[in-house]
């Protein structure tokens, strides 16, 4: 059952009303009456308002506008550290070459290379994953064919040597089964890990698409960086899996003295497993990280924000 979203403004006045819209800038729900006021008020008429259904699609991937360290809203962006910062954080960035207003940093963010590069990176990783999963499954199928051939060979030899081979056949079959199961389990584990990574990347792609469609520019700007870090982590995990993947070839080696088996041979043969690294390739996407930024002197940016904060205080 979908939970309801309350109107944040009415809740502040101890009144409970269901919200019909969501303001991504204020990060709170709006009932029908409050929505009308929100759209007509000078300070909020430019805010991005979406439906509650659209809000539910992105609520789990929304990025906070508030600085965790100081509790202030993000008003600035430092290109040197690639971080959004608040007015209090500015003391920690005095040595940075430039700090620009966040509102200017997010201009045309939906058309920026940062967002498109993130999407390309996820899609590229998914393409790598799907391609290599197909290759591994093909190798596993060939491995199954090897199993059929070996079982057939064991059976033919067993028929020729009759009942005297019962005990040795059992030993050989057990040895084969153990090593075969080991290899099959290795294949299955690898495929399972890659499918899991594939699912995570698919989820990240969907979250990125949701942010692109419904989030505000600030949320897109911050979200692409947050999701990008997770994507990078998943890609490194996939690379680790690729480096560890092995391809198995299983063969039957019969004893050279099989013709004198009844008198001289104590074992029918042995199961040999040849394991080698497949060297799966992860083809990197060529990303263009260039993003146009408007550079303003640090002192002017800080002064402008300080005036805004002073104006808010005097108005209150």
């Amino acid at each position: 059952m979908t939970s309801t979203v309350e109107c944040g403004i009415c809740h502040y006045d101890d009144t409970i009303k269901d919200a019909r819209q969501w303001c991504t800038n204020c990060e709170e729900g709006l009932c029908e009456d409050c929505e009308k006021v929100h759209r007509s008020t000078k300070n909020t008429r430019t805010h991005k308002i979406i439906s509650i259904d659209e809000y539910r699609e992105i609520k789990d991937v929304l990025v906070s506008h508030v600085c965790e360290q100081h509790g202030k809203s993000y008003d600035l962006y430092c290109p040197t550290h690639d971080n959004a910062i608040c007015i209090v954080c500015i003391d920690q960035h005095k040595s940075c070459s430039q700090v620009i207003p966040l509102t200017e940093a997010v201009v045309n963010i939906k058309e920026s290379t940062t967002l498109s590069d993130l999407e390309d990176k996820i899609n590229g990783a998914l393409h790598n994953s799907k391609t290599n999963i197909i290759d591994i499954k093909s190798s596993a199928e060939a491995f199954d064919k090897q199993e059929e051939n070996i079982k057939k060979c064991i059976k033919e030899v067993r028929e020729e040597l009759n009942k005297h081979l019962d005990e040795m056949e059992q030993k050989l079959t057990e040895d084969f089964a153990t090593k075969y199961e080991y290899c099959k389990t290795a294949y299955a584990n690898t495929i399972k890990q890659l499918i899991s990574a594939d699912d995570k990347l698919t989820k990240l792609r969907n979250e990125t698409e949701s942010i692109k469609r419904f989030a505000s520019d600030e949320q897109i700007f911050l979200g692409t960086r947050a999701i990008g870090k997770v994507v990078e982590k998943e890609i490194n995990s996939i690379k680790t899996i690729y480096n560890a993947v092995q391809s198995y070839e299983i063969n039957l080696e019969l004893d050279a003295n099989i013709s004198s088996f009844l008198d001289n041979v104590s074992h029918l043969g042995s199961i040999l497993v040849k394991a080698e690294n497949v060297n799966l390739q992860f083809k990197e996407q060529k990303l263009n990280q260039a993003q146009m930024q408007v550079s303003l002197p640090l002192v002017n940016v800080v002064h402008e924000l300080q005036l805004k904060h002073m104006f808010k205080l005097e108005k209150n």
Side-chain angles (χ1 to χ4, degrees), residues 17-237:
K17 279 188 178 181
D18 290 344
R20 51 172 282 173
Q21 300 283 64
W22 180 269
C23 176
T24 59
N25 297 82
C26 299
E27 295 186 345
E28 65 179 0
L30 301 171
C31 65
E32 184 175 1
D33 293 334
C34 291
E35 178 196 352
K36 293 178 180 178
V37 176
H38 212 72
R39 291 184 184 278
S40 61
T41 302
K42 182 177 181 180
N43 290 337
T44 58
R45 66 180 56 158
T46 59
H47 286 191
K48 183 177 179 63
I49 296 177
I50 61 178
S51 69
I52 291 299
D53 289 337
E54 292 171 336
Y55 160 68
R56 289 193 176 100
E57 289 191 35
I58 63 172
K59 68 176 182 178
D60 293 331
V61 293
L62 289 177
V63 180
S64 175
H65 289 76
V66 178
C67 174
E68 294 182 0
Q69 184 178 0
H70 303 112
K72 302 289 185 179
S73 61
Y74 288 129
D75 293 316
L76 301 168
Y77 169 69
C78 174
T80 302
H81 294 92
D82 191 20
N83 281 332
I85 60 177
C86 71
I87 188 66
V88 182
C89 293
I90 200 68
D91 290 336
Q92 304 170 15
H93 295 265
K94 290 181 176 178
S95 60
C96 298
S97 60
Q98 62 178 12
V99 172
I100 63 177
L102 185 59
T103 53
E104 296 186 15
V106 302
V107 172
N108 297 324
I109 185 62
K110 288 187 177 181
E111 292 76 33
S112 70
T113 57
T114 303
L115 181 58
S116 61
D117 286 349
L118 175 60
E119 293 174 318
D120 291 343
K121 198 170 190 177
I122 295 175
N123 290 328
L126 287 170
H127 176 73
N128 274 282
S129 179
K130 293 182 185 299
T131 300
N132 286 312
I133 287 175
I134 292 174
D135 292 342
I136 295 173
K137 286 182 176 180
S138 176
S139 182
E141 290 172 358
F143 187 78
D144 289 337
K145 186 65 177 178
Q146 295 169 358
E147 176 204 10
E148 296 174 5
N149 293 336
I150 290 177
K151 284 185 175 181
K152 180 180 178 181
C153 182
I154 293 174
K155 183 178 180 180
E156 290 175 351
V157 173
R158 175 66 183 85
E159 290 174 351
E160 292 177 5
L161 298 177
N162 211 342
K163 293 182 180 180
H164 188 74
L165 299 178
D166 285 348
E167 184 177 349
M168 286 182 292
E169 182 191 22
Q170 182 179 359
K171 292 180 181 179
L172 180 61
T173 303
E174 289 176 353
D175 182 30
F176 165 71
T178 299
K179 293 175 180 176
Y180 169 75
E181 187 61 30
Y182 173 82
C183 298
K184 284 293 292 183
T185 300
Y187 274 125
N189 288 340
T190 299
I191 293 172
K192 182 179 179 180
Q193 289 175 325
L194 290 176
I195 290 177
S196 176
D198 185 85
D199 291 339
K200 292 179 181 178
L201 288 170
T202 299
K203 181 180 179 182
L204 290 170
R205 180 183 63 188
N206 293 338
E207 291 178 354
T208 301
E209 291 175 351
S210 294
I211 287 180
K212 183 178 180 180
R213 291 178 59 195
F214 306 117
S216 66
D217 290 347
E218 287 84 354
Q219 291 165 338
I220 295 174
F221 179 81
L222 301 172
T224 52
R225 284 156 176 77
I227 295 177
K229 293 177 181 179
V230 179
V231 170
E232 190 65 33
K233 181 179 178 181
E234 290 300 326
I235 288 177
N236 290 334
S237 177

Side-chain angles (χ1 to χ4, degrees), residues 238-295:
I238 292 175
K239 290 179 180 178
T240 300
I241 296 173
Y242 288 173
N243 291 334
V245 170
Q246 290 184 318
S247 176
Y248 300 99
E249 180 181 350
I250 192 165
N251 295 293
L252 174 66
E253 183 177 316
L254 295 176
D255 194 283
N257 297 314
I258 193 67
S259 58
S260 59
F261 169 77
L262 293 176
D263 297 326
N264 303 315
V265 180
S266 60
H267 61 280
L268 185 61
S270 58
I271 301 298
L272 302 178
V273 176
K274 180 182 178 182
E276 59 181 13
N277 289 332
V278 180
N279 294 322
L280 298 178
Q281 299 298 313
F282 189 97
K283 297 181 180 180
E284 298 283 0
Q285 296 292 312
K286 294 182 179 180
L287 302 179
N288 178 14
Q289 296 296 340
Q291 182 177 8
M292 296 299 294
Q293 301 286 1
V294 180
S295 176

